[in-house]
Structures are given as structure tokens and as C-alpha cells.
């Protein structure tokens, strides 16, 4: 049986989280103290140490001190660890150097355009450009036929070039928290795309129908924009597992939302939904549904009591500013920064929900506020 969790203040989650972590740490500490005082544990450690020394051919005199086993001499560390660490370090350095040959990274607000030398590095497989003042992506991106990851988050990009459709091997595209107002239809040619993140552009209202060709996409994030409904092209992404369309202008959900029969997580909080369609019950793999409960007047009972174990979370839309740390308020200066802050917190909360092994079979209602 599923359950409904109604949260009146997101800060409560953090308090419960911290309490659970503290309790777990206290338990671990007590267990360590118990083992430290146990004679059996010490004897076991000594004999394990002796056996390991004998396997390595270390003479008995080396680990005995006044006739007693001295495990503090760290013989195994001296003989083995130094050589192993050297080998491991060398191997890791070689892997890192080889991998970095195919990765381009750029960050810093002093960057207003991409360096000219970039166009000559067409062998690159990943671009990671973030926290810059760059506004345009040049057309020569079409030359990067090996590109698999294109991360362009937290910049000032106003549009994507149509040449992006030439990146046939592209698997991940992240242009979150930029200034995009539209997406080129040519993106639909990137048939190997698996992850699409368009969150936080604030003014996106629609997606081109051509994106229906993206049949390999499993993750779509279009949160913090101006979508009035779920785009038609998204409803035709047959492999979709995760859809975040929170903080938009949704007032209802399409009746054919059950076309997304592979969908596992659906995030709808901070919209203006007044009801949830029964079509949600026809989505066999849906395991987490998050909505804002302030405007909901109709919720199918079966959604809250789904036999599939659906976790239904209804969040009350208290303003985020009321739950921020006092010293954090000075850091969060703009609407985009506030949205990014909340998004990271919600992601962490959802990750925690998904990791829980047991699901309570009752309804939990929380009506008090915890100020952090």
C-alpha cells in the first residue's frame, strides 16, 4: 500500500534528516567503543596480523616486542602499502592524463567568449563550461563529432546553434540556468541523447515537436520555466524515467500522460494544479510523485493508496526565503540563485526518499515548523 506525505514546511525535512544522522552516528560510536574494550577483538586482530605477516614471509622477531605481538609496528604498511600506493598513484595519474586529453573545462566570470584555440581540438568528447559570461555557442561545434557530454550550465547563453543537431554521439546536454527562450528543432537529430537538462532558463514556454525523435532520453528536467503544460514531444519520449517539470505554469496534466509507461519519477511541485488525473494509475513503474498541495481540490484515492508502493509527496508552498539560514540570505541574490538553491535541496530530499527500503502504510501529516 502506498502512502501520502504532506509536508507543511520543507525545513522540517532537514531537521528530521539531521536527527536520523545524529542517531546513527551515536550508535556507530557506541559500537566502536564496545569493540575497542573487547579482549576477543584484540586477540583476533593480533592473530590476523601474525597470519598476514607469515604469508608475506616476515620473520617472527620483526613483529614481537618483549615476547608480545606488537601490531603498532605497521610492518605490512612498510612493506606493501608503499609499493602499492606508488603503483596505484602512477596508474591513476596515467588514466587522468589520458582522460583529460578529451575533456575541455572552462569557468570564471571573466570569460565572455570561447578561446579561439578550441576550434582546433575537434577530438574532444566532453565540454564543461559553467559560471561564465558567455552568451553564444559558435557554429563550429558541428566539427566535434566525438562529443558525448555538453555541459553549459550557469552561463548567459541566449540561444543554441542549429549545428548542435550534427552531434550524433551526444548523450548529455545540460544548458540549465541560462537565458534560453527557445530550443532549435535540430536538437531532435541527436538520436543518442539520454539526458536533457533545460532547467532554470525562466522563459522557456514550449519545446519543438522534433524532439519526439529522442527515443533514448531517460532524464528530462525543464523545471523553473514557463511551460503551461507538459510538451507533446516529452509525452513521446518512450524511454523516459525521470521528468521534472516543477515550478512552471501547469494547471492540469494531459489525459494521455500514461503514454510515459516507463516513467518512475514525476516532479510537479510549485505549479497550479487543481486535480490529478486517474491516468496516473495506468503508469506501472511510477514510484515517486511530488506535487504542491495548496491548489489541489481533487486527488484520486487510488493514487495515495496505490498497491504498487507509489510514494506520493504533497508539499505546501511556503516561500523559500522563510526557511533559509540567516547567513545564506546574503549569498542568494537573484531569483535564479534562489531557484538553484531550492532545486539542490529538493534533489537531496528526493534521493533520500528513494533510498528508504521500507514504506510506512499510513498517512503522515506534519503541521509544525522547524526553524533552522
Amino acid at each position: 500500500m502506498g502512502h501520502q506525505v504532506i509536508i507543511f514546511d520543507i525545513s522540517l525535512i532537514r531537521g528530521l534528516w539531521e536527527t536520523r544522522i545524529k542517531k546513527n552516528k551515536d550508535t556507530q560510536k557506541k559500537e566502536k567503543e564496545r569493540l575497542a574494550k573487547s579482549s576477543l577483538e584484540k586477540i583476533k586482530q593480533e592473530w590476523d596480523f601474525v597470519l598476514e605477516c607469515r604469508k608475506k614471509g616476515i620473520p617472527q622477531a620483526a613483529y614481537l616486542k618483549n615476547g608480545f605481538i606488537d601490531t603498532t609496528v605497521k610492518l605490512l604498511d612498510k612493506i606493501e602499502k608503499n609499493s602499492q600506493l606508488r603503483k596505484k598513484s602512477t596508474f591513476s595519474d596515467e588514466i587522468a592524463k589520458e582522460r583529460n586529453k578529451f575533456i575541455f573545462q572552462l569557468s570564471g566570470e571573466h570569460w565572455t567568449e570561447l578561446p579561439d584555440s578550441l576550434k582546433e581540438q575537434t577530438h574532444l568528447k566532453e565540454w564543461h563550461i559553467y559560471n561564465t559570461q558567455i552568451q553564444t555557442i559558435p557554429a563550429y561545434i558541428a566539427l566535434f563529432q566525438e562529443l558525448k557530454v555538453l555541459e553549459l550550465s550557469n552561463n548567459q547563453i541566449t540561444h543554441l546553434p542549429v549545428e548542435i543537431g550534427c552531434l550524433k554521439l551526444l548523450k548529455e546536454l545540460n544548458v540549465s540556468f541560462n537565458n534560453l527562450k527557445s530550443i532549435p528543432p535540430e536538437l531532435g537529430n541527436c538520436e543518442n541523447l539520454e539526458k536533457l537538462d533545460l532547467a532554470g532558463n525562466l522563459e522557456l514556454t514550449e519545446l519543438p515537436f522534433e524532439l519526439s525523435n529522442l527515443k533514448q532520453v531517460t532524464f528530462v528536467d525543464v523545471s523553473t520555466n514557463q511551460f503551461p503544460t507538459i510538451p507533446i514531444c516529452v509525452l513521446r519520449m518512450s524511454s523516459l524515467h525521470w521528468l521534472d517539470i516543477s515550478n512552471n505554469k501547469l494547471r492540469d496534466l494531459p489525459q494521455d500522460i500514461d503514454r510515459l509507461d516507463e516513467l518512475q519519477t514525476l516532479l510537479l511541485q510549485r505549479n497550479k494544479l487543481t486535480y490529478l488525473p486517474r491516468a496516473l494509475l495506468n503508469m506501472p513503474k511510477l514510484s515517486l510523485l511530488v506535487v504542491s498541495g495548496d491548489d489541489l481540490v481533487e486527488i484520486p484515492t487510488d493514487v495515495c493508496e496505490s498497491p504498487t508502493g507509489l510514494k506520493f509527496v504533497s508539499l505546501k508552498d511556503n516561500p523559500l526565503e522563510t526557511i533559509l539560514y540567516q547567513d545564506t540570505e546574503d549569498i542568494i541574490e537573484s531569483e535564479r540563485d534562489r531557484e538553484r538553491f531550492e532545486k539542490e535541496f529538493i534533489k537531496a530530499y528526493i534521493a533520500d526518499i528513494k533510498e528508504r527500503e521500507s514504506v510506512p502504510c499510513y498517512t503522515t501529516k506534519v503541521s509544525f515548523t522547524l526553524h533552522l
Side-chain angles (χ1 to χ4, degrees):
M1 176 175 279
H3 72 291
Q4 177 183 7
V5 180
I6 303 179
I7 304 301
F8 279 73
D9 195 327
I10 265 182
S11 60
L12 170 69
I13 304 302
R14 189 166 191 142
L16 295 176
W17 219 347
E18 291 174 349
T19 301
R20 187 162 67 248
I21 291 173
K22 184 177 183 300
K23 183 177 180 181
N24 185 51
K25 286 183 177 180
D26 290 342
T27 302
Q28 291 180 344
K29 183 178 179 181
K30 290 179 180 179
E31 180 64 15
K32 287 182 179 179
E33 290 175 351
R34 186 188 68 80
L35 290 175
K37 295 177 181 179
S38 173
S39 299
L40 291 175
E41 182 66 19
K42 185 176 181 182
I43 293 172
K44 181 179 181 299
Q45 290 176 356
E46 290 179 350
W47 277 106
D48 287 343
F49 181 79
V50 171
L51 290 174
E52 192 65 24
C53 286
R54 290 178 178 176
K55 287 181 182 179
K56 304 302 178 184
I58 301 174
Q60 184 176 1
Y63 56 81
L64 288 181
K65 184 176 182 181
N66 297 327
F68 295 95
I69 299 171
D70 183 11
T71 59
T72 64
V73 293
K74 305 290 184 182
L75 291 172
L76 300 179
D77 290 344
K78 291 181 180 179
I79 294 176
E80 287 189 53
K81 283 190 176 180
N82 288 338
S83 59
Q84 290 180 357
L85 286 175
R86 281 196 298 270
K87 290 179 181 178
K88 186 176 180 180
S89 177
T90 302
F91 184 66
S92 298
D93 290 343
E94 290 177 355
I95 292 178
K97 288 180 181 178
E98 186 65 24
R99 185 171 181 269
N100 288 336
K101 291 179 182 178
F102 301 97
I103 298 178
F104 174 73
Q105 297 188 10
L106 187 70
S107 66
E109 294 186 355
H110 58 283
W111 289 102
T112 57
E113 59 183 18
L114 296 174
D116 292 336
S117 59
L118 179 59
K119 67 178 67 174
E120 300 172 1
Q121 304 178 52
T122 56
H123 63 282
L124 291 173
K125 295 183 178 180
E126 298 183 18
W127 283 16
H128 296 272
I129 302 170
Y130 50 92
N131 296 328
T132 74
Q133 296 297 312
I134 293 173
Q135 297 184 15
T136 60
I137 300 300
Y140 65 68
I141 194 173
L143 301 175
F144 291 77
Q145 291 296 301
E146 300 296 319
L147 204 60
K148 294 184 178 180
V149 176
L150 185 55
E151 181 191 352
L152 306 171
S153 60
N154 302 306
N155 298 294
Q156 300 297 320
I157 299 171
T158 57
H159 72 279
L160 294 175
V162 297
E163 287 78 8
I164 197 171
C166 298
L167 306 178
K168 302 298 184 181
L169 299 182
L170 190 65
K171 291 184 176 293
E172 296 184 18
L173 174 61
N174 183 349
V175 282
S176 61
F177 295 97
N178 281 280
N179 297 319
L180 296 175
K181 296 183 179 180
S182 63
I183 302 297
E186 288 77 9
L187 181 61
N189 296 329
C190 301
E191 296 180 355
N192 287 301
L193 196 67
E194 297 176 358
K195 182 176 181 179
L196 177 61
D197 192 341
L198 304 172
N201 283 282
L202 302 183
E203 295 190 41
L204 281 177
T205 60
E206 59 181 357
L207 296 178
F209 183 78
E210 286 78 2
L211 269 58
S212 300
N213 297 328
L214 304 178
K215 303 301 184 182
Q216 304 300 318
V217 170
T218 60
F219 178 101
V220 170
D221 189 342
V222 290
S223 61
T224 316
N225 284 295
Q226 301 291 322
F227 289 96
T229 187
I230 298 178
I232 294 176
C233 62
V234 173
L235 294 174
R236 284 161 173 73
M237 295 177 180
S238 54
S239 299
L240 199 59
H241 291 172
W242 174 294
L243 174 58
D244 187 350
I245 193 168
S246 59
N247 196 13
N248 277 276
K249 301 295 183 181
L250 273 63
R251 292 192 175 275
D252 54 30
L253 297 178
Q255 293 298 323
D256 60 343
I257 191 173
D258 52 0
R259 294 173 62 107
L260 300 174
D261 53 7
E262 294 293 322
L263 195 65
Q264 299 173 12
T265 299
L266 178 57
L267 309 184
L268 299 167
Q269 71 273 15
R270 299 191 66 186
N271 282 288
K272 296 296 181 181
L273 296 172
T274 56
Y275 73 95
L276 298 177
R278 294 188 62 83
L280 293 171
L281 300 174
N282 301 327
M283 303 171 70
K285 296 188 178 181
L286 187 62
S287 58
L288 178 62
L289 174 62
V290 182
V291 300
S292 290
D294 289 337
D295 298 297
L296 286 174
V297 295
E298 181 179 347
I299 304 175
T301 304
D302 292 343
V303 171
C304 302
E305 300 180 356
S306 171
T308 63
L310 170 67
K311 296 183 179 71
F312 174 74
V313 181
S314 179
L315 299 175
K316 293 296 182 180
D317 276 337
N318 289 339
L320 178 65
E321 292 83 354
T322 63
I323 63 169
L324 295 176
Y325 286 109
Q326 187 66 36
D327 58 348
T328 308
E329 293 179 352
D330 297 331
I331 300 175
I332 301 180
E333 300 174 349
S334 67
E335 180 181 357
R336 182 175 280 113
D337 290 331
R338 287 194 296 271
E339 298 296 348
R340 189 159 50 236
F341 179 87
E342 177 182 325
K343 192 170 185 62
E344 290 302 317
F345 186 85
I346 289 292
K347 281 184 178 180
Y349 169 50
I350 290 173
D352 180 68
I353 289 178
K354 282 183 168 290
E355 289 175 1
R356 298 177 191 173
E357 295 181 358
S358 60
V359 179
C361 59
Y362 52 83
T363 299
T364 303
K365 294 186 178 181
V366 182
S367 59
F368 59 89
T369 300
L370 177 64
H371 292 285
L372 298 179

